[in-house]
Amino acid sequence: MTPLPEPLIAGQPWTALAPMQDVTTLPFMRLLGKYGAPDLLFTEYFRVHGHSTLEQHIVDAVCQHNTGRPVFAQLIGESLPDLERTVAAIETAQLPVAGIDLNMGCPAPKVYKKNVGGGLLREPSKVDEVLSCLRGAIQGRFTVKMRIGFDSDQHFETILDLIEKHKVDLLSLHARTVKEAYRSEVHYEYIKRAAERVPCPVLANGNVTSVAKGQWVLDQTGSAGVMIGRSCIRNPWIFRQHREHFAGQPIFQPKLGDVREYIEELIVATSRPNREGQYHINHMKKFLNFIGLGVDTDGQFLHDMRRARTKSELDAICDKHLIEGGRAEQLFPDEPIKGLVARPNCETSRGCSL
């Protein structure tokens, strides 16, 4: 096995940015670099199929994130020749990746119905083929992100055996099944089982919402670090906070005024020539649905924000809830406010794209 890149502060548990489609883009990575990048970055996935090429926006994220931290390129697919071809393309292009990661956890039905992402977990024999193919093709680090199973833990131990068999260098484990998507409690005991079973480092993924939760997860699972996704949309300081906590330093506590500045930077970062007006505002709501979980206990910010149509309307709503009436000096809570739902149209039995 190839050792992982060292954490920014040697000896600390690793922190990692979970790969999220349409979120862990170049602009978002750059923002995290400003607010406090994690030790390890993971890209959106390169789609691998018969006609696939390396998507330029992901190549740009690899080459131009400027955080100073190592980045892993993620692949999603099941065609062995095309996986080999994609690995060769990454190496031929000399992309500065710290390793190549396989997605075996995406819970979106449109993904798993193609037998990729989380869909692979239904068939250990196919997992064996894919891992063997990639281990043979990848010259450097080969890592895997997966869930505990498709609709049960039936194949969990078998797939852990395959992780060991094929000398995977890092396992990131989201401790839910694919069919549970993001709705259920996280079954952290499976991360503990994996950390005790496989020889490579294991990162704990799933509802790491704060420093306190991150430390609890590390204590409960014995994992080598934490991988954080949706919670760093809400709180981009979370990786910095973990680093300060691990070092025994005072932990930065953002205020609502800081959150207002973050939202403005997100608006700029997500701007595109082909993404204007209401289309841009609607795209921003993907992020604001999570940020709003820390604004007010009655969910009024979420209610108002979801009805904004223009930049000026959104500005007025953000100023009202985050700046006016002395709110700028209020502390932004460490944990999401209980009872609020980030994605009311997405938390369904069919799963979710994020």
Side-chain angles (χ1 to χ4, degrees):
M1 289 189 303
T2 304
L4 291 180
E6 282 293 315
L8 188 61
I9 299 178
Q12 289 193 352
W14 280 282
T15 60
L17 170 65
M20 295 176 285
Q21 288 306 103
D22 301 322
V23 174
T24 49
T25 58
L26 173 59
F28 190 74
M29 285 185 180
R30 285 178 169 173
L31 271 187
L32 287 181
K34 174 177 179 178
Y35 289 106
D39 297 312
L40 308 173
L41 300 165
F42 288 78
T43 68
E44 302 171 275
Y45 51 68
F46 285 111
R47 294 171 174 85
V48 178
H49 51 79
H51 306 290
S52 62
T53 58
L54 298 180
E55 289 120 306
Q56 188 60 46
H57 68 282
I58 303 179
V59 172
D60 291 344
V62 168
C63 298
Q64 301 172 26
H65 60 88
N66 300 333
T67 67
R69 304 309 304 150
V71 61
F72 291 74
Q74 189 177 75
L75 311 182
I76 192 167
E78 51 84 33
S79 165
L80 304 187
D82 295 311
L83 287 167
E84 288 181 337
R85 175 178 57 80
T86 303
V87 170
I90 290 171
E91 294 178 349
T92 299
Q94 297 184 321
L95 297 188
V97 296
I100 294 178
D101 188 66
L102 173 66
N103 182 315
M104 290 204 307
C106 181
K110 65 182 180 181
V111 170
Y112 70 64
K113 287 178 180 177
K114 298 176 182 176
N115 205 39
V116 300
L120 280 174
L121 298 175
R122 291 176 288 200
E123 194 176 348
S125 61
K126 183 64 177 181
V127 172
D128 193 15
E129 292 179 3
V130 170
L131 296 185
S132 177
C133 168
L134 287 173
R135 180 69 283 177
I138 296 168
Q139 297 180 19
R141 296 183 187 90
F142 170 37
T143 68
V144 170
K145 185 175 190 295
M146 61 178 262
R147 289 185 175 233
I148 65 174
F150 184 74
D151 53 9
S152 74
D153 66 352
Q154 176 184 359
H155 302 306
F156 182 64
E157 300 292 341
T158 300
I159 292 176
L160 289 186
D161 287 341
L162 295 175
I163 294 293
E164 180 174 4
K165 171 185 174 182
H166 295 293
K167 297 181 173 58
V168 169
D169 296 304
L170 170 70
L171 173 63
S172 303
L173 183 58
H174 186 144
R176 293 180 171 108
T177 67
V178 172
K179 294 306 287 287
E180 285 174 325
Y182 300 95
R183 299 180 303 278
S184 73
E185 294 298 316
V186 181
H187 314 296
Y188 294 108
E189 65 272 18
Y190 288 87
I191 299 175
K192 185 175 190 295
R193 286 163 58 180
E196 293 172 347
R197 177 81 173 270
V198 299
C200 67
V202 175
L203 297 183
N205 181 222
N207 281 16
V208 179
T209 48
S210 66
V211 167
K213 183 65 175 295
Q215 185 62 62
W216 182 88
V217 168
L218 289 168
D219 292 342
Q220 292 293 311
T221 64
S223 60
V226 292
M227 174 177 272
I228 301 174
R230 297 177 298 160
S231 289
C232 77
I233 304 174
R234 176 179 56 84
N235 173 13
W237 301 273
I238 196 168
F239 299 113
R240 167 189 173 176
Q241 292 171 330
H242 273 82
R243 198 169 288 125
E244 291 166 343
H245 165 72
F246 294 146
Q249 299 172 349
I251 298 173
F252 174 72
Q253 296 291 313
K255 299 177 180 178
L256 293 185
D258 298 311
V259 175
R260 179 67 183 94
E261 293 178 9
Y262 165 51
I263 291 173
E264 192 60 35
E265 291 198 276
L266 267 177
I267 291 173
V268 173
T270 56
S271 177
R272 298 283 187 284
N274 63 344
R275 183 188 291 153
E276 298 177 342
Q278 188 170 350
Y279 176 52
H280 184 201
I281 297 305
N282 288 341
H283 180 78
M284 271 296 299
K285 293 173 185 179
K286 177 191 294 283
F287 301 87
L288 293 171
N289 273 325
F290 292 97
I291 297 170
L293 300 182
V295 175
D296 47 30
T297 56
D298 60 2
Q300 193 61 45
F301 171 79
L302 288 171
H303 176 276
D304 294 347
M305 169 276 295
R306 288 167 179 157
R307 286 154 181 78
R309 295 183 178 182
T310 65
K311 170 71 161 57
S312 60
E313 288 178 3
L314 186 61
D315 283 343
I317 290 164
C318 290
D319 289 347
K320 173 184 175 182
H321 291 281
L322 298 167
I323 299 292
E324 295 170 3
R327 290 180 176 85
E329 293 302 309
Q330 292 181 17
L331 290 177
F332 189 57
D334 293 335
E335 297 282 356
I337 297 168
K338 292 185 184 301
L340 300 183
V341 178
R343 302 160 302 163
N345 297 324
C346 210
E347 295 284 7
T348 73
S349 60
R350 297 187 301 277
C352 184
S353 62
L354 177 58

